Amino acid sequence: MSALDKSPGVKGTVYRTIGPTALHDTDTKRLGGAAGTVTVPSGMDTLLGIWAHLDPSALADDESQAAWGYLDTEDGFNLKPFEFPFPVQGACGSTTTYTDSMRGEFYPVNCPVVPGGRINAYATAYEAAAQEPFCSVTYMFGKNIVLPKMLDDHPGRHRWRKIGHAATTTVAAGFQPEAQYQFTLSANGGAITEVGGIYWPTTQTVAAWAGGATMQVNSADVPVMPMEFNMNAFGAALAITSAHRSRDTITRRPCSAFGERVVHIDSQLVSFGGGAELTGLFVSMVEFVRRGE
Amino acid sequence: MVMTEQPVEVDHMMGYKVLGDTSLGAATALVRIGGAAGAQEVPAWADTLLGIYAHLSPSTLLTAEDTVAWGYLESDDGMSIKPFEFIYSPVSGIVGITASANASKGIFYPINAPVRPLSKIIAYGQQMSGGAGTQPPYASITFRFSNSRASGQWNPTKDDPLPGVQRYRKVGTYTAVVDSAAGFTPEAVYQINLGSGGGVITEMAGMATDYAVLAGTAGGGTFQFKSPDVPLLPQTFNANAFGMTLGATGQFDYTDIITRRICHMEAEGVTQFENSYLQGQAQAVATGDFITMVEFVRA
């Protein structure tokens, strides 16, 4: 059991779920309802990570389903910020279309927790839609456990995560900026350990997009910035009876970029391909660690 | 340009053999892969079965039939590999003559079992579609052998969270899903034996399907694992949802719908599982099924 061992002593993992909870318009919904929460199970000392799930309720012509979420606690855990996108449901066109299966997206956390403490999860849809998705989160708790490398590039390292503000993208206009956002490292600094984002069409657009894009993540507070990376492309649609396939459209790239104290992020995205009719959104995200925490 | 030294040990051998493709027939009978005498011979250079890829491909598509199957490995040559039961890569159902099923990617299951050169490993498969199952799928197994016990090199960590640790695996019973309004649907109780020295449950997994392709039918739900013999149970985890269809012509998508969650739960002796599944959303027509699976190691 070497890959899961951290130290001698009692070991174990416990999974808990919250949701599925229906979203509505662009309201922020607490998963599990108004008092929904997950209590840290007896004996567990770490929130190892979460799987974020989005399940469509039904499909509707010409609309996608996308949402972001965050974790919160009132019980003193050093958890925030932990903001993340849910997997995206691609937009359909007409009544003969279908969509991809929806795989949960894993985010390592490695946050120390105390049994009996409560963790709350929230989700917000990016757009009001006729068919509103359901969101849920699977928590993986552990005692004396670190994740294997197949799930976590930095086993045991406490992570935080921040997501940006969704912005509209158009092909013709070149790079489109996202509103600036920021996060705080420790007094001794820290490092960005992942950059990423999502990019998706909010309506079904025939042959308008090839689906590719380049994201640039920049910060005047981080020496190795800006970083540029290609986004995973969503599936292009040939006809109004097609859908935009959306498996793997959350793009995540590991990195190591050191910074100090407050880090401001300025992201932008340029989409390429052809097409005149464009309706789409993108959002960036960063994962980071704090030195000494 | 300076090339870095490649991290490949020259005394480490790792290679592949295939058993199948074999039709699983139109019924739900247990079928031996490779025919009545079908078996995979362990290569002369191998001392370890590192794992298998389980492949399933449809023959012909038919409305309201999906392509799902389970299988297991065994040996008459004294190798300790049982139980090793698994789910083949599933393929969705379709409706309408313009629909298409999802691609079917082989699923890797780590094993790390010691084996004897030239001995035989036998594999089986059995359909378990909730539909009529009249279109026989083809099943095959890719075996990954190595000389790991001699070389000290094991599966790449991207394939195996516990390199070198021998695994066993057990599946439950394919069970019709009751609509979510009725709560969790129980699966028939099944058991494993971790031995008197105890062991660890290292993975919980499940798959939820729906053979009738109907607009408005949504995937997703929650698996619950429960056992009176495992102190850390019950636990729940969300299921990966199958893809949906918008209209009367279309298909579902079963890619990635086997949800596998690594874990560490210690127990000993005979361990029973009383698992269940809760469909995430109420359905107009409930034609879904589910099955669970556990992986474990013995001390």
CSV table of all heavy atoms in Angstrom, one decimal, chain B residues 164-186:
chain,number,residue,atom,x,y,z
B,164,GLY,N,3.1,-2.7,-7.9
B,164,GLY,CA,3.7,-3.9,-7.3
B,164,GLY,C,2.8,-4.6,-6.3
B,164,GLY,O,3.2,-5.7,-5.8
B,165,VAL,N,1.7,-4.0,-6.0
B,165,VAL,CA,0.8,-4.6,-5.0
B,165,VAL,C,-0.3,-5.5,-5.7
B,165,VAL,O,-1.0,-4.9,-6.6
B,165,VAL,CB,0.1,-3.5,-4.1
B,165,VAL,CG1,-0.9,-4.2,-3.2
B,165,VAL,CG2,1.1,-2.7,-3.4
B,166,GLN,N,-0.3,-6.7,-5.4
B,166,GLN,CA,-1.3,-7.6,-6.1
B,166,GLN,C,-2.7,-7.2,-5.7
B,166,GLN,O,-3.1,-7.0,-4.5
B,166,GLN,CB,-1.1,-9.1,-5.8
B,166,GLN,CG,-2.0,-9.9,-6.6
B,166,GLN,CD,-1.8,-11.4,-6.5
B,166,GLN,OE1,-0.9,-11.9,-5.8
B,166,GLN,NE2,-2.7,-12.2,-7.1
B,167,ARG,N,-3.6,-7.2,-6.7
B,167,ARG,CA,-5.0,-6.8,-6.5
B,167,ARG,C,-5.9,-7.9,-6.8
B,167,ARG,O,-5.6,-8.8,-7.7
B,167,ARG,CB,-5.3,-5.6,-7.5
B,167,ARG,CG,-4.3,-4.6,-7.5
B,167,ARG,CD,-4.3,-3.8,-6.3
B,167,ARG,NE,-4.4,-2.4,-6.6
B,167,ARG,CZ,-3.5,-1.7,-7.3
B,167,ARG,NH1,-2.4,-2.3,-7.7
B,167,ARG,NH2,-3.7,-0.5,-7.7
B,168,TYR,N,-7.0,-7.9,-6.2
B,168,TYR,CA,-8.2,-8.8,-6.5
B,168,TYR,C,-9.4,-7.8,-6.7
B,168,TYR,O,-9.4,-6.7,-6.3
B,168,TYR,CB,-8.4,-9.7,-5.3
B,168,TYR,CG,-7.2,-10.6,-5.0
B,168,TYR,CD1,-6.3,-10.1,-4.1
B,168,TYR,CD2,-7.0,-11.8,-5.6
B,168,TYR,CE1,-5.2,-10.8,-3.7
B,168,TYR,CE2,-5.9,-12.5,-5.3
B,168,TYR,CZ,-5.0,-12.1,-4.3
B,168,TYR,OH,-3.9,-12.8,-4.0
B,169,ARG,N,-10.4,-8.4,-7.4
B,169,ARG,CA,-11.5,-7.5,-7.8
B,169,ARG,C,-12.8,-8.4,-7.8
B,169,ARG,O,-12.8,-9.5,-8.2
B,169,ARG,CB,-11.2,-6.9,-9.2
B,169,ARG,CG,-12.1,-5.9,-9.7
B,169,ARG,CD,-11.5,-5.3,-11.0
B,169,ARG,NE,-10.5,-4.3,-10.7
B,169,ARG,CZ,-10.7,-3.1,-10.3
B,169,ARG,NH1,-11.9,-2.6,-10.3
B,169,ARG,NH2,-9.7,-2.3,-10.1
B,170,LYS,N,-13.9,-7.7,-7.4
B,170,LYS,CA,-15.1,-8.4,-7.4
B,170,LYS,C,-16.2,-7.5,-7.9
B,170,LYS,O,-16.3,-6.3,-7.5
B,170,LYS,CB,-15.4,-8.9,-5.9
B,170,LYS,CG,-16.7,-9.7,-5.8
B,170,LYS,CD,-16.4,-11.2,-6.0
B,170,LYS,CE,-17.6,-12.1,-5.7
B,170,LYS,NZ,-17.3,-13.5,-6.0
B,171,VAL,N,-17.2,-8.0,-8.7
B,171,VAL,CA,-18.3,-7.2,-9.1
B,171,VAL,C,-19.6,-7.7,-8.5
B,171,VAL,O,-19.7,-8.9,-8.1
B,171,VAL,CB,-18.4,-7.2,-10.7
B,171,VAL,CG1,-17.2,-6.6,-11.3
B,171,VAL,CG2,-18.8,-8.5,-11.2
B,172,GLY,N,-20.6,-6.8,-8.5
B,172,GLY,CA,-21.9,-7.2,-7.9
B,172,GLY,C,-22.8,-7.7,-9.0
B,172,GLY,O,-22.4,-8.4,-9.9
B,173,THR,N,-24.0,-7.4,-8.9
B,173,THR,CA,-25.1,-7.9,-9.7
B,173,THR,C,-25.7,-6.7,-10.5
B,173,THR,O,-26.1,-5.7,-9.9
B,173,THR,CB,-26.2,-8.6,-8.9
B,173,THR,OG1,-25.6,-9.6,-8.1
B,173,THR,CG2,-27.2,-9.2,-9.8
B,174,TYR,N,-25.8,-6.9,-11.8
B,174,TYR,CA,-26.5,-5.9,-12.6
B,174,TYR,C,-27.9,-5.8,-12.2
B,174,TYR,O,-28.7,-6.8,-12.3
B,174,TYR,CB,-26.4,-6.3,-14.1
B,174,TYR,CG,-26.4,-5.1,-15.1
B,174,TYR,CD1,-25.6,-4.0,-14.9
B,174,TYR,CD2,-27.2,-5.2,-16.2
B,174,TYR,CE1,-25.6,-3.0,-15.9
B,174,TYR,CE2,-27.3,-4.1,-17.1
B,174,TYR,CZ,-26.5,-3.0,-16.9
B,174,TYR,OH,-26.5,-2.0,-17.9
B,175,THR,N,-28.4,-4.6,-11.8
B,175,THR,CA,-29.6,-4.4,-11.1
B,175,THR,C,-30.4,-3.3,-11.7
B,175,THR,O,-29.9,-2.2,-11.9
B,175,THR,CB,-29.4,-4.1,-9.6
B,175,THR,OG1,-28.5,-5.1,-9.0
B,175,THR,CG2,-30.7,-4.0,-8.8
B,176,ALA,N,-31.7,-3.5,-11.9
B,176,ALA,CA,-32.6,-2.5,-12.5
B,176,ALA,C,-32.7,-1.4,-11.5
B,176,ALA,O,-32.9,-1.6,-10.3
B,176,ALA,CB,-34.0,-3.1,-12.8
B,177,VAL,N,-32.6,-0.1,-12.0
B,177,VAL,CA,-32.7,1.0,-11.1
B,177,VAL,C,-34.2,1.4,-10.8
B,177,VAL,O,-35.0,1.5,-11.8
B,177,VAL,CB,-32.0,2.2,-11.7
B,177,VAL,CG1,-32.2,3.5,-10.9
B,177,VAL,CG2,-30.6,2.0,-11.9
B,178,VAL,N,-34.5,1.6,-9.6
B,178,VAL,CA,-35.8,2.1,-9.2
B,178,VAL,C,-35.8,3.6,-9.4
B,178,VAL,O,-34.8,4.2,-9.1
B,178,VAL,CB,-36.2,1.6,-7.8
B,178,VAL,CG1,-37.5,2.3,-7.3
B,178,VAL,CG2,-36.3,0.1,-7.7
B,179,ASP,N,-36.9,4.2,-9.8
B,179,ASP,CA,-36.9,5.6,-9.9
B,179,ASP,C,-36.5,6.3,-8.6
B,179,ASP,O,-36.7,5.8,-7.5
B,179,ASP,CB,-38.3,6.1,-10.4
B,179,ASP,CG,-38.2,7.5,-10.9
B,179,ASP,OD1,-37.6,7.8,-11.9
B,179,ASP,OD2,-38.8,8.4,-10.2
B,180,SER,N,-35.8,7.5,-8.8
B,180,SER,CA,-35.2,8.1,-7.6
B,180,SER,C,-36.2,8.5,-6.5
B,180,SER,O,-35.8,8.6,-5.4
B,180,SER,CB,-34.5,9.4,-8.1
B,180,SER,OG,-35.4,10.3,-8.7
B,181,ALA,N,-37.5,8.6,-6.9
B,181,ALA,CA,-38.5,9.0,-5.9
B,181,ALA,C,-38.6,7.8,-4.8
B,181,ALA,O,-39.0,8.1,-3.7
B,181,ALA,CB,-39.8,9.2,-6.5
B,182,ALA,N,-38.2,6.6,-5.2
B,182,ALA,CA,-38.3,5.5,-4.3
B,182,ALA,C,-37.0,5.3,-3.4
B,182,ALA,O,-36.9,4.4,-2.6
B,182,ALA,CB,-38.5,4.2,-5.0
B,183,GLY,N,-36.0,6.2,-3.6
B,183,GLY,CA,-34.8,6.2,-2.8
B,183,GLY,C,-33.8,5.2,-3.4
B,183,GLY,O,-33.8,4.9,-4.6
B,184,PHE,N,-32.8,4.8,-2.6
B,184,PHE,CA,-31.7,4.0,-3.1
B,184,PHE,C,-32.2,2.6,-3.5
B,184,PHE,O,-33.0,2.0,-2.8
B,184,PHE,CB,-30.7,3.8,-2.0
B,184,PHE,CG,-29.7,5.0,-1.9
B,184,PHE,CD1,-29.9,6.0,-1.0
B,184,PHE,CD2,-28.5,5.0,-2.6
B,184,PHE,CE1,-29.0,7.1,-0.9
B,184,PHE,CE2,-27.6,6.0,-2.6
B,184,PHE,CZ,-27.8,7.1,-1.7
B,185,THR,N,-31.7,2.1,-4.6
B,185,THR,CA,-32.0,0.8,-5.1
B,185,THR,C,-30.9,-0.2,-4.6
B,185,THR,O,-29.7,0.0,-4.9
B,185,THR,CB,-32.1,0.7,-6.6
B,185,THR,OG1,-33.0,1.6,-7.1
B,185,THR,CG2,-32.4,-0.7,-7.1
B,186,PRO,N,-31.3,-1.2,-3.8
B,186,PRO,CA,-30.2,-2.1,-3.3
B,186,PRO,C,-29.7,-3.1,-4.4
B,186,PRO,O,-30.5,-3.5,-5.2
B,186,PRO,CB,-30.9,-2.8,-2.2
B,186,PRO,CG,-32.3,-2.8,-2.5
B,186,PRO,CD,-32.6,-1.5,-3.3
